[in-house]
C-alpha cells in the first residue's frame, strides 16, 4: 500500500524501479555550477562528474568549497548559476527530497541521527517510505545487520559511540537504495578499527549494491584505500582530478595544502 | 513496546512511542477519568459544570498547539487566530442563515474556516521559506493584527451580521437539525457533547501521532534537514500538520461559542490570550497530548479562581509557572511525572528516595569541593 | 506647509521611539539569537526607575535617567544569569521563559505601584510656529536616537568588547578557540541590551504615560524594527526605524492610529516572507557561516 504524500516524487522507488534518463554512464554531472554568498564565491563554475559505480573522493584545503559543492548537489543550497544533472535528469531546480527520489542520498558532516529515537526507529524512518509490514521489518533487520548494530537496536541513538553513529547514519542513507551516496567526512575522529569498518562498508555497498560514492575526507590513507579517482578542490574550483596515485605524487597538490596535510609518504618530514 | 496483556490489536493503534501512557493501567485511568467527567454535572450542579465546560474548551486550543508545536516543532502563537476566526465565522453564518439547518452548516463552515486560515497562513510561511523563529513571530503578528482590526471593526457587516468592534458579536440559541427534526443545545447537554468531542479528538490525534505519519512529524521536529534528506517533503508535511492544527483550533472556536454564545476580539486575539496555550503546553508537556489537556484545565481553573480571590497575583502566578516549568521540568509536568514514576518503579519507594538523596548530596558536595564532602556510601577511596 | 512641519515633528518622534526601543533588542537578538519577550518590560523598568528617581528620590531629571540605565543594566545581568543562561540553544524555551518574566514584571509592577505613575516634566520647553507649538524635546529625542546609534557603532568597532562580540557572532567555535570567553560576551551583551532598553524607557518617561502595561506596545514596535532591519545592528535599526517611522507617520496622519499599527504589522509579515534578509541581509550572513563551517 503506497503512502501518498503529495509532493513526493515516485514515493516507492528502489534502484531497480527507478527510471533513468539519457546517458546512464555518467551518474552525476554539474555544468558551470556557481554559488555565491553575497560577494563571496564559494563555488566557481565547476564541471564535476561522477560515473555510475565509482568511488570518488573529494579533497582540498579548508575553505576550498567541498561541503558547499556537496550541498549544491543535494539541493540544500540553491545554485547561483549552472546546472546539475543526475541519472540523466535535470535536477537543478528540484527540492532535496525530490533528488532523493531520483537516487541520491547523503550523510551529513556533523553526525545527524535522531538522538532521542532508538537505533531501530532511526532505521525505520527511511524504510517506512519504501515498504510496509513484513517487508519493512526485513529491510530494517538487514540494515541493522549490515551496520553491525543489531545488538543495540533498542538503544537511544544519542548514546552510541561516535563510530557507531556514523555507521547508523550511513545505514540510514543506504536504506534509500541510492545510486549515489554522498559522505561528508565519514571517518573524522574515529579510531583505526572504526575507520577500517567504514571503509569496508563503503566497499561492500559499492560492490554488492552498485552504489557510487562521493566522499569528502581529509585522511589521505583512508582516501588511498577506497578511492577510484580523486578530485582536488581549491578556492571553489577543481584543481586536479585523477586516480589516487597521480594525485598523491603531484607537487602542486601538496603545495596548495601548504604542507598542513600529510602526503601518503609523509614520514620523510 | 509490549506492555500489559490488553487487546493491543485495536488499542495498539492508539499507543506508541509518541505519547505517554500505554497498557492496562493507562486505559483504565482514562476510563475512570471519562466516567468522572460524565458524572461531574450530576454531582456538582449546573454552574460548576458550566465552568468546567469553559476549561474543556481551552483544552481544544491546547491540543491544537500541542499537535503543531510538540509534534512538528512549530511554535505558533496563531492557534488563537484560527480559534477566534472560527468563532466569528460561526456567529456570522448563524446570524445570516438564522435556521437550524443554517446553524448545523455553520458548525462545519466554522471548523473549515479555521483549517483554511491555517492552510493559507501555513502556505505563505512554509512555502515562502520562513523558518523557525520567524514563523513564531509571524503567527504572533497575525494574531495581533486581527485584534487591532477587530477592535475597530464596529460597523463592519458580513451579510447582516455586524462584527461589532470591541464588543464583538453574539448568537442566540444553538438549534441544530433540519426541517422538523431539530434539537436545541443547552447545558448540561452542551457539557456532555463537548466531553465527547474532546475525547474523540484526543483519541484521533493519539492514533495519528503514533502512526507512520506521526513518526515522520517527530523526525521533522528533531531535525528538519535530516528528515528532508531521507526523502520526506518537509514543507508539505508541515503544511498538513498546521492545517489540521487550525482545524482543531476551529473546533475549539465552535465549542467556545456553544459555551458562551458570544465572542470579542480581546478574548481571543489579544497577545495575552495567545500566550496562554503556550503556557498550557509548556507546563503540561509538549511531547504528549494528555499533558496539555490536563494543564489547560488545571491552569485555567487556578487562574479563574485566583482572579477572584487574589486578582493581582493571578497573572504573576502564571508567569512564575511558565518560568519554573521551563527551568525545572523542560519537558513538562506529565513527562516529569512519568520519569518520576519510572524511577520509583525501578528502585522502589524507600531505596529510590535514599538513592536520590545520596545523589543530591554528592552533587552538592562536589560543588563545595574536596574529598571531605564525598558521601561515605560511595565506593570511591580517597588517597 | 505648516502641516508639513507637523508631520515632520511627528516623524521625528516616531523614528526616535522606534530606534530607541529597538536597538537593545537588536543587539541581543543579533548577537545572541535570543528573543527576549520581556524587552518591553525592561523599557518599562527604565521608565519607572526614572520616575522613582525624580519623584521619590528627588534627583534631577538627568540623574534619574542615569539611575534608570544602571538599574536596568543590573537587572538584565541578573536575569541573564538566572534565566537566559539556562536556555541557551533552546530558542523556544527562552521565549517561554521571557514571556513568563514579562507577565511577572508587568503584573508585579501593577501590584507594587498601582495603575499609573505621576508624570515627569518634559524638559526644554516648546517652540511655536503660527498656531502650532511643538515640544523641543521631540527634536532632542531624535538627536538622542542618532547618538545612541553612533555610540553602538563605536562600541562594536572600537572597543575590545565589540571585537569579541563580532567574533562570537561570526563563528562561536573559532572565537572560543582563540580565547574569547563567549559566556562573558553573552552576559555583557545582555546587560548592554538591557541598559539600552532602560535608556529608552528613561527618555520616554517625560512624554508617555508610565503604566505597568506600557511594555506591550514597545515590544511589538521593537520586533517590527528588528525584523525589518536585519542583522546589521546599527544600519539595520537606523534604516528600519527611518523607513517604518515614515510609513507610520504618513498612515497615522491620514488614516489614524489603528491603521498605522496594522500597516506596520503587515509590513513586518511581508518583509519576513519576501526579504527574510531584512533590509541588511540576515539569512545570507547565517548561510555564509554555514558554508564556511562546512568546506
Amino acid at each position: 500500500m503506497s503512502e501518498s504524500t503529495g509532493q513526493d516524487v515516485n514515493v516507492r522507488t528502489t534502484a531497480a524501479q527507478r527510471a533513468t534518463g539519457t546517458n546512464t554512464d555518467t551518474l552525476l554531472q554539474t555544468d558551470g555550477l556557481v554559488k555565491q554568498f553575497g560577494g563571496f564565491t564559494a563555488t566557481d563554475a565547476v564541471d564535476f562528474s561522477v560515473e555510475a559505480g565509482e568511488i570518488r573522493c573529494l579533497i582540498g584545503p579548508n575553505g576550498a568549497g567541498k561541503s558547499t559543492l556537496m550541498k549544491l548537489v543535494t539541493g540544500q543550497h540553491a545554485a547561483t548559476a549552472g546546472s546539475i544533472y543526475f541519472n540523466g535528469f535535470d535536477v537543478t531546480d528540484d527540492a532535496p527530497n525530490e533528488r532523493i527520489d531520483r537516487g541520491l542520498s547523503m550523510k551529513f558532516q556533523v553526525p545527524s541521527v535522531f538522538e532521542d529515537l532508538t537505533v531501530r526507529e532511526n532505521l525505520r524512518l527511511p524504510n517506512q517510505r519504501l515498504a510496509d509490514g513484513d517487508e519493512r521489518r526485513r529491510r530494517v533487520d538487514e540494515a541493522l545487520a549490515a551496520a553491525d548494530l543489531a545488538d543495540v537496536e533498542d538503544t537511544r541513538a544519542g548514546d552510541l559511540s561516535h563510530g557507531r553513529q556514523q555507521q547508523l547514519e550511513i545505514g540510514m542513507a543506504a536504506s534509500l537504495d541510492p545510486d549515489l551516496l554522498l559522505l561528508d567526512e565519514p571517518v573524522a575522529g574515529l579510531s583505526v578499527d572504526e575507520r577500517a569498518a567504514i571503509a569496508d562498508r563503503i566497499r561492500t555497498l559499492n560492490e554488492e549494491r552498485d552504489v557510487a560514492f562521493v566522499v569528502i575526507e581529509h585522511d589521505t590513507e583512508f582516501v588511498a584505500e577506497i578511492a577510484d579517482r580523486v578530485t582536488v578542490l581549491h578556492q571553489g574550483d577543481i584543481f586536479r582530478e585523477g586516480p589516487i596515485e597521480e594525485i598523491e605524487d603531484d607537487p602542486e597538490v601538496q603545495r596548495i595544502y601548504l604542507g598542513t596535510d600529510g602526503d601518503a609518504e609523509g614520514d620523510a618530514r | 513496546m509490549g506492555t500489559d496483556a490488553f487487546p493491543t490489536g485495536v488499542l495498539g493503534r492508539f499507543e506508541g512511542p509518541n505519547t505517554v501512557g500505554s497498557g492496562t493501567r493507562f486505559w483504565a485511568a482514562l476510563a475512570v477519568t471519562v466516567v468522572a467527567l460524565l458524572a461531574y454535572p450530576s454531582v456538582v450542579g449546573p454552574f460548576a459544570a458550566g465552568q468546567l465546560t469553559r476549561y474543556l474548551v481551552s483544552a481544544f486550543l491546547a491540543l491544537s498547539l500541542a499537535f503543531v508545536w510538540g509534534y512538528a516543532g512549530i511554535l505558533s502563537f496563531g492557534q488563537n487566530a484560527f480559534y477566534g476566526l472560527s468563532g466569528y465565522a460561526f456567529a456570522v453564518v448563524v446570524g445570516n442563515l438564522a435556521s437550524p439547518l443554517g446553524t448545523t452548516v455553520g458548525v462545519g463552515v466554522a471548523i473549515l474556516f479555521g483549517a483554511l486560515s491555517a492552510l493559507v497562513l501555513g502556505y505563505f510561511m512554509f512555502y515562502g521559506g520562513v523558518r523557525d523563529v520567524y514563523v513564531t513571530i509571524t503567527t504572533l503578528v497575525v494574531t495581533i493584527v486581527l485584534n487591532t482590526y477587530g477592535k475597530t471593526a464596529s460597523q463592519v457587516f458580513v451579510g447582516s451580521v455586524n462584527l461589532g468592534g470591541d464588543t464583538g458579536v453574539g448568537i442566540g440559541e444553538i438549534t441544530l437539525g433540519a426541517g422538523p427534526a431539530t434539537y436545541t443545545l443547552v447545558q448540561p447537554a452542551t457539557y456532555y457533547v463537548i466531553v465527547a468531542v474532546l475525547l474523540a479528538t484526543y483519541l484521533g490525534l493519539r492514533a495519528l501521532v503514533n502512526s507512520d505519519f506521526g513518526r515522520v512529524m517527530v523526525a521533522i521536529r528533531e531535525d528538519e534537514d535530516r528528515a528532508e534528506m531521507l526523502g520526506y517533503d518537509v514543507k508539505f508535511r508541515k503544511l498538513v500538520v498546521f492545517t489540521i492544527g487550525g482545524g482543531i483550533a476551529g473546533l475549539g472556536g465552535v465549542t467556545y461559542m456553544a459555551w458562551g454564545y458570544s465572542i470579542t476580539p480581546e478574548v481571543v486575539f489579544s497577545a495575552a490570550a495567545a500566550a496562554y496555550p503556550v503556557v498550557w503546553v509548556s507546563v503540561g508537556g509538549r511531547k504528549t497530548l494528555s499533558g496539555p489537556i490536563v494543564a489547560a484545565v488545571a491552569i485555567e481553573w487556578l487562574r479563574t479562581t485566583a482572579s477572584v480571590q487574589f486578582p493581582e497575583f493571578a497573572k504573576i502566578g502564571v508567569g512564575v509557572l511558565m518560568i519554573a516549568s521551563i527551568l525545572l521540568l523542560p519537558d513538562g509536568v506529565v513527562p516529569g511525572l512519568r520519569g518520576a514514576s519510572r524511577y520509583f518503579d525501578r528502585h522502589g519507594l524507600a531505596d529510590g528516595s535514599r538513592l536520590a538523596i545520596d545523589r543530591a548530596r554528592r552533587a552538592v558536595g562536589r560543588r563545595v569541593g574536596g574529598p571531605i564532602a564525598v558521601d561515605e556510601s560511595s565506593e570511591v577511596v580517597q588517597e | 506647509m505648516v502641516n508639513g512641519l507637523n508631520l515632520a515633528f511627528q516623524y521625528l518622534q516616531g523614528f526616535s521611539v522606534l530606534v530607541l526601543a529597538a536597538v537593545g533588542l537588536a543587539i541581543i537578538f543579533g548577537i545572541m539569537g535570543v528573543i527576549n519577550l520581556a524587552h518591553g518590560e525592561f523599557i518599562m523598568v527604565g521608565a519607572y526607575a526614572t520616575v522613582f528617581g525624580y519623584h521619590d528620590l528627588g534627583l534631577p531629571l538627568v540623574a534619574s535617567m542615569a539611575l534608570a540605565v544602571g538599574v536596568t543594566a543590573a537587572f538584565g545581568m541578573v536575569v541573564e544569569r538566572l534565566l537566559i543562561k539556562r536556555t541557551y540553544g533552546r530558542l523556544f524555551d527562552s521565549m517561554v521563559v521571557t514571556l513568563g518574566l514579562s507577565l511577572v514584571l508587568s503584573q508585579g509592577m501593577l501590584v507594587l505601584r498601582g495603575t499609573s505613575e505621576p508624570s515627569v516634566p518634559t524638559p526644554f520647553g516648546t517652540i511655536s510656529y503660527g498656531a502650532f507649538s511643538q515640544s523641543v524635546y521631540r527634536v532632542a529625542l531624535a538627536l538622542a536616537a542618532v547618538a545612541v546609534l553612533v555610540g553602538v557603532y563605536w562600541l562594536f568597532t572600537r572597543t575590545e568588547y565589540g571585537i569579541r562580540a563580532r567574533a562570537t557572532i561570526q563563528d562561536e567555535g573559532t572565537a572560543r578557540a582563540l580565547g574569547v570567553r563567549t559566556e562573558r560576551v553573552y552576559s555583557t551583551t545582555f546587560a548592554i541590551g538591557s541598559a539600552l532598553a532602560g535608556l529608552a524607557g528613561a527618555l520616554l518617561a517625560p512624554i508617555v504615560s508610565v503604566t505597568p502595561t506600557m511594555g506591550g506596545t514597545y515590544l511589538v514596535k521593537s520586533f517590527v524594527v528588528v525584523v525589518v532591519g536585519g542583522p546589521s545592528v546599527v544600519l539595520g535599526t537606523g534604516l528600519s526605524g527611518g523607513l517604518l517611522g515614515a510609513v507610520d507617520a504618513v498612515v497615522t496622519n491620514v488614516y489614524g492610529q489603528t491603521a498605522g499599527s496594522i500597516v506596520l504589522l503587515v509590513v513586518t509579515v511581508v518583509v519576513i516572507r519576501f526579504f527574510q534578509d531584512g533590509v541588511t541581509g540576515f539569512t545570507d550572513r547565517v548561510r555564509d557561516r554555514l558554508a564556511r563551517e562546512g568546506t
Side-chain angles (χ1 to χ4, degrees):
Chain A
M1 211 197 76
S2 161
E3 186 193 82
S4 167
T5 49
Q7 306 284 333
D8 292 356
V9 168
N10 288 340
V11 173
R12 301 182 60 204
T13 57
T14 59
Q17 297 168 327
R18 205 172 287 129
T20 56
T22 57
N23 195 352
T24 51
D25 285 335
T26 306
L27 190 57
L28 172 71
Q29 170 86 53
T30 76
D31 213 348
L33 199 56
V34 178
K35 180 58 183 173
Q36 284 173 335
F37 294 101
F40 170 66
T41 303
T43 307
D44 198 357
V46 168
D47 296 328
F48 180 65
S49 67
V50 177
E51 306 297 305
E54 190 186 339
I55 299 183
R56 176 78 62 88
C57 280
L58 191 58
I59 68 176
N62 273 323
K66 307 191 289 293
S67 278
T68 311
L69 179 59
M70 188 161 278
K71 288 189 179 159
L72 284 165
V73 170
T74 61
Q76 290 170 294
H77 284 326
T80 313
S83 342
I84 304 176
Y85 298 90
F86 185 75
N87 253 333
F89 294 102
D90 183 347
V91 297
T92 321
D93 295 322
D94 282 359
N97 67 286
E98 291 173 320
R99 302 186 197 197
I100 306 280
D101 279 318
R102 296 258 184 238
L104 196 60
S105 187
M106 87 160 319
K107 190 206 85 65
F108 289 77
Q109 179 179 19
V110 177
S112 302
V113 294
F114 296 103
E115 301 200 341
D116 286 329
L117 300 181
T118 66
V119 168
R120 195 179 182 89
E121 286 168 345
N122 266 272
L123 284 168
R124 192 185 200 269
L125 279 166
N127 284 300
Q128 77 181 36
R129 290 182 69 227
L130 304 176
D132 290 310
D134 289 332
E135 168 74 8
R136 179 195 296 177
R137 229 164 286 137
R138 189 188 57 78
R139 291 176 65 98
V140 173
D141 288 334
E142 267 177 27
L144 278 170
D148 200 23
L149 292 169
D151 55 326
V152 287
E153 66 175 299
D154 287 322
T155 314
R156 191 177 157 271
D159 294 336
L160 290 178
S161 72
H162 191 59
R164 297 196 103 176
Q165 282 185 358
Q166 299 278 44
Q167 286 281 15
L168 174 58
E169 209 184 335
I170 293 177
M172 288 163 74
S175 287
L176 295 168
D177 285 338
D179 292 325
L180 175 61
L181 185 39
L182 306 172
L183 301 180
D184 198 346
E185 296 193 35
V187 296
L190 297 187
S191 72
V192 171
D193 286 338
E194 289 170 325
R195 288 174 186 230
I198 300 267
D200 233 11
R201 194 81 202 292
I202 292 176
R203 270 193 298 260
T204 311
L205 282 166
N206 179 248
E207 282 156 27
E208 290 178 12
R209 287 166 58 181
D210 211 26
V211 178
F213 281 86
V214 175
V215 181
I216 295 180
E217 249 314 326
H218 290 291
D219 181 342
T220 39
E221 270 182 45
F222 184 78
V223 168
E225 213 187 307
I226 59 165
D228 293 332
R229 288 171 67 80
V230 174
T231 301
V232 184
L233 224 55
H234 182 50
Q235 288 176 352
D237 203 353
I238 295 180
F239 186 72
R240 284 283 186 281
E241 209 171 75
I244 179 68
E245 303 81 30
E246 281 177 26
I247 303 294
E248 281 181 340
D249 293 331
D250 192 326
E252 293 297 311
V253 172
Q254 293 170 15
R255 197 166 305 149
I256 64 170
Y257 271 92
L258 301 170
T260 54
D261 201 346
D263 34 53
E265 299 134 303
D267 30 83
R269 308 266 171 80
Chain B
M1 233 126 303
T3 48
D4 313 293
F6 207 69
T8 42
V10 166
L11 288 174
R13 300 202 118 243
F14 297 98
E15 295 180 358
N18 292 330
T19 47
V20 173
S22 54
T24 326
R25 242 187 305 173
F26 169 74
W27 292 106
L30 182 63
V32 168
T33 313
V34 173
V35 166
L37 280 174
L38 292 175
Y40 192 72
S42 332
V43 174
V44 297
F47 177 72
Q51 291 283 76
L52 184 56
T53 314
R54 175 69 181 92
Y55 308 145
L56 291 175
V57 166
S58 300
F60 282 97
L61 203 46
L63 266 183
S64 149
L65 181 62
F67 184 63
V68 152
W69 186 18
Y71 294 92
I74 307 166
L75 171 55
S76 160
F77 281 101
Q79 305 312 101
N80 279 68
F82 314 131
Y83 174 73
L85 284 172
S86 156
Y88 269 95
F90 186 63
V92 162
V93 171
V94 168
N96 277 300
L97 295 184
S99 73
L101 184 60
T103 310
T104 316
V105 167
V107 172
V109 168
I111 297 174
L112 279 176
F113 193 63
L116 190 67
S117 331
L119 179 69
V120 168
L121 182 60
Y123 182 79
F124 177 78
M125 294 192 299
F126 304 135
Y127 281 78
V130 181
R131 296 248 318 213
D132 310 319
V133 156
Y134 291 99
V135 166
T136 306
I137 296 177
T138 307
T139 55
L140 180 59
V141 168
V142 165
T143 309
I144 295 178
V145 167
L146 284 171
N147 194 24
T148 316
Y149 175 70
K151 288 200 275 205
T152 60
S154 60
Q155 287 303 317
V156 174
F157 286 83
V158 180
S160 61
V161 177
N162 182 0
L163 292 183
D166 57 5
T167 51
V169 63
I171 56 178
E173 52 173 34
I174 296 183
T175 305
L176 304 162
T182 64
Y183 174 74
T184 304
L185 189 68
V186 291
Q187 288 284 17
T190 316
Y191 172 85
Y192 292 119
V193 167
I194 291 181
V195 168
V197 174
L198 184 60
L199 183 64
T201 311
Y202 170 69
L203 289 176
L205 280 181
R206 210 165 203 265
L208 183 61
V209 151
N210 283 315
S211 68
D212 280 354
F213 178 80
R215 287 166 191 268
V216 178
M217 282 171 65
V218 169
I220 291 176
R221 177 192 75 205
E222 292 297 310
D223 191 341
E224 240 182 70
D225 292 318
R226 179 75 259 179
E228 184 167 39
M229 294 313 295
L230 286 177
Y232 291 106
D233 189 342
V234 169
K235 284 184 183 161
F236 180 71
R237 285 169 186 263
K238 288 208 287 198
L239 184 61
V240 168
V241 166
F242 201 64
T243 307
I244 295 177
I248 298 173
L251 185 53
V254 171
T255 56
Y256 177 72
M257 294 305 275
W259 167 81
Y261 298 90
S262 71
I263 187 169
T264 67
E266 189 66 15
V267 167
V268 287
F269 297 135
S270 69
Y276 284 123
V278 176
V279 181
W280 305 329
V281 176
S282 310
V283 172
R286 96 173 77 127
K287 295 179 188 174
T288 79
L289 292 172
S290 50
I293 295 180
V294 171
V297 171
I299 293 177
E300 285 305 285
W301 177 77
L302 275 172
R303 194 170 65 86
T304 318
T305 318
S307 301
V308 170
Q309 312 273 11
F310 324 102
E312 307 107 358
F313 294 97
K315 280 201 187 146
I316 298 184
V318 173
V320 170
L321 194 58
M322 287 171 84
I323 297 175
S325 77
I326 292 286
L327 294 184
L328 299 176
L329 288 170
D331 282 336
V333 169
V334 170
L337 285 178
R338 172 178 63 162
S341 139
R342 279 215 191 120
Y343 175 79
F344 282 110
D345 258 349
R346 233 186 330 193
H347 299 280
L349 200 57
D351 279 347
S353 317
R354 190 177 59 80
L355 249 175
I357 296 175
D358 275 354
R359 269 198 214 145
R361 223 190 288 149
R362 237 175 291 145
V364 171
R366 222 175 281 136
R367 232 168 274 152
V368 169
I372 310 155
V374 170
D375 192 311
E376 272 104 43
S377 67
S378 85
E379 298 296 311
V380 179
V381 176
Q382 298 301 308
E383 293 300 326
Chain C
M1 172 30 209
V2 170
N3 247 325
L5 259 184
N6 277 349
L7 191 59
F9 273 102
Q10 228 176 330
Y11 172 68
L12 275 184
Q13 177 161 328
F15 163 78
S16 332
V17 170
L18 286 173
V19 168
L20 287 169
V23 69
L25 189 68
I27 290 178
I28 293 177
F29 185 43
I31 296 182
M32 297 164 70
V34 167
I35 302 252
N36 178 14
L37 289 178
H39 178 72
E41 273 65 39
F42 278 61
I43 295 179
M44 182 264 288
V45 167
Y48 266 81
T50 311
V51 172
F52 181 76
Y54 187 80
H55 282 290
D56 296 45
L57 297 181
L59 300 171
L61 190 58
V62 176
S64 306
M65 290 189 176
L67 172 71
V69 173
V71 165
T72 326
F75 183 64
M77 288 182 73
V78 170
V79 166
E80 195 270 336
R81 198 130 304 184
L82 290 182
L83 300 180
I84 311 288
K85 209 190 201 82
R86 311 237 183 122
T87 57
Y88 280 154
R90 290 148 53 198
L91 185 60
F92 293 140
D93 284 355
S94 67
M95 288 177 85
V96 176
V97 162
T98 51
L99 185 60
L101 180 65
S102 122
L103 279 175
V104 171
L105 288 175
S106 56
Q107 281 302 112
M109 199 56 96
L110 178 64
V111 170
L112 272 177
R113 305 277 295 191
T115 49
S116 72
E117 291 292 287
S119 56
V120 161
T122 316
F124 308 137
T126 62
I127 67 168
S128 340
Y129 47 96
F132 301 92
S133 69
Q134 289 285 356
S135 162
V136 175
Y137 192 67
R138 281 181 159 180
V139 178
L141 210 55
L143 291 175
V146 173
V148 164
L149 286 178
V150 170
V152 169
Y153 179 75
W154 176 85
L155 181 72
F156 280 104
T157 51
R158 301 269 190 269
T159 62
E160 269 290 314
Y161 159 76
I163 296 170
R164 272 186 250 127
R166 276 158 61 216
T168 311
I169 318 175
Q170 289 276 325
D171 190 338
E172 192 191 337
T174 308
R176 227 181 301 161
L178 292 175
V180 173
R181 291 167 64 191
T182 51
E183 304 222 316
R184 271 291 217 85
V185 169
Y186 291 144
S187 306
T188 316
T189 305
F190 200 82
I192 293 177
S194 310
L196 287 169
L199 177 65
L203 291 170
L204 285 171
I207 55 171
V208 300
S209 51
V210 176
T211 67
T213 51
M214 66 188 278
T217 8
Y218 296 107
L219 177 69
V220 177
K221 284 195 210 278
S222 309
F223 256 113
V224 168
V225 171
V226 170
V227 168
V228 171
S232 167
V233 173
V234 174
L235 203 57
T237 310
L239 285 178
S240 165
L243 177 72
L244 292 173
V247 169
D248 191 25
V250 168
V251 175
T252 305
N253 217 297
V254 180
Y255 294 108
Q257 183 73 305
T258 316
S261 310
I262 295 185
V263 168
L264 272 194
L265 292 170
V266 170
V267 166
T268 311
V269 172
V270 168
V271 168
I272 290 182
R273 165 64 174 82
F274 296 105
F275 308 97
Q276 296 167 71
D277 319 15
V279 169
T280 51
F282 192 94
T283 329
D284 262 349
R285 218 31 112 74
V286 176
R287 266 192 240 127
D288 265 7
R289 209 194 321 181
L290 288 176
R292 252 174 272 138
E293 79 195 9
T295 316

